[in-house]
Amino acid sequence: MKVFLIIPLLLAAIPSWTLAARPITLAESYELALKRSEELAQAGQAAQELEAQIGILRAGVRPQISIIATETLQDVPPAAGGVSSQFTQRNREQAQISARQPIFSGLREFLALRAARHRGQAAELALTRARQRLYSDVAAAYVEELAWFADRF
């Protein structure tokens, strides 16, 4: 059932003038199916989401450094006696550097990172398997279509 649904989709994706010019090859059929496969798109998106999670978990393990720099500019009007303008700073610069490194928290960050890596590998394998299943389905449909044309003509 699935096989008979793939071939019309593949044929609909090709302009009619190219069908009259030459038959479609198995590689072209597979490329067209790759572009249209929802299962493959979902598997790829799941793998990308897990890669992003790995990056977030990795950031929790690494040291964090923040730098803040400010500069205050103040226009001091001349006072009548001139005393207040002598003690007021016109420019004031400040800089602050802070670092944070988690020392020990029971290794839960490292275990979570390892688990996320394994889930990422599983998602990559699922994506590879989805590509293999798609190729198998397209190849089976292609062979059936060739057999149908051979019987008809």
Side-chain angles (χ1 to χ4, degrees):
M1 183 71 176
K2 199 188 245 186
V3 172
F4 292 112
L5 294 175
I6 292 175
I7 293 295
L9 288 174
L10 294 176
L11 294 176
I14 302 172
S16 60
W17 57 270
T18 59
L19 287 177
R22 63 178 179 78
I24 187 171
T25 65
L26 177 59
E28 292 170 335
S29 300
Y30 179 63
E31 288 298 321
L32 290 171
L34 278 175
K35 292 176 186 174
R36 293 180 168 260
S37 175
E38 289 181 18
E39 180 184 355
L40 214 58
Q42 289 173 351
Q45 187 174 9
Q48 287 177 349
E49 288 174 6
L50 286 171
E51 285 296 320
Q53 280 182 346
I54 290 170
I56 291 169
L57 290 171
R58 202 175 279 145
V61 174
R62 293 185 177 156
Q64 297 175 356
I65 298 173
S66 62
I67 300 172
I68 300 171
T70 60
E71 181 179 11
T72 305
L73 301 174
Q74 185 174 358
D75 189 18
V76 180
V83 175
S84 65
S85 65
Q86 292 176 356
F87 295 108
T88 306
Q89 290 181 339
R90 290 185 178 269
N91 299 336
R92 184 175 55 185
E93 293 129 3
Q94 292 179 333
Q96 176 184 5
I97 298 175
S98 64
R100 180 181 159 264
Q101 170 66 47
I103 295 174
F104 184 73
S105 60
L107 297 176
R108 66 176 168 227
E109 290 91 1
F110 293 105
L111 293 175
L113 183 59
R114 183 185 301 168
R117 281 188 193 141
H118 289 302
R119 284 192 306 269
Q121 289 172 352
E124 288 294 326
L125 291 174
L127 180 61
T128 302
R129 181 65 185 132
R131 284 188 183 124
Q132 291 170 347
R133 277 195 313 266
L134 180 66
Y135 185 80
S136 176
D137 290 345
V138 169
Y142 189 80
V143 169
E144 280 188 35
E145 198 70 22
L146 285 179
W148 182 80
F149 275 118
D151 289 344
R152 300 283 180 209
F153 301 108

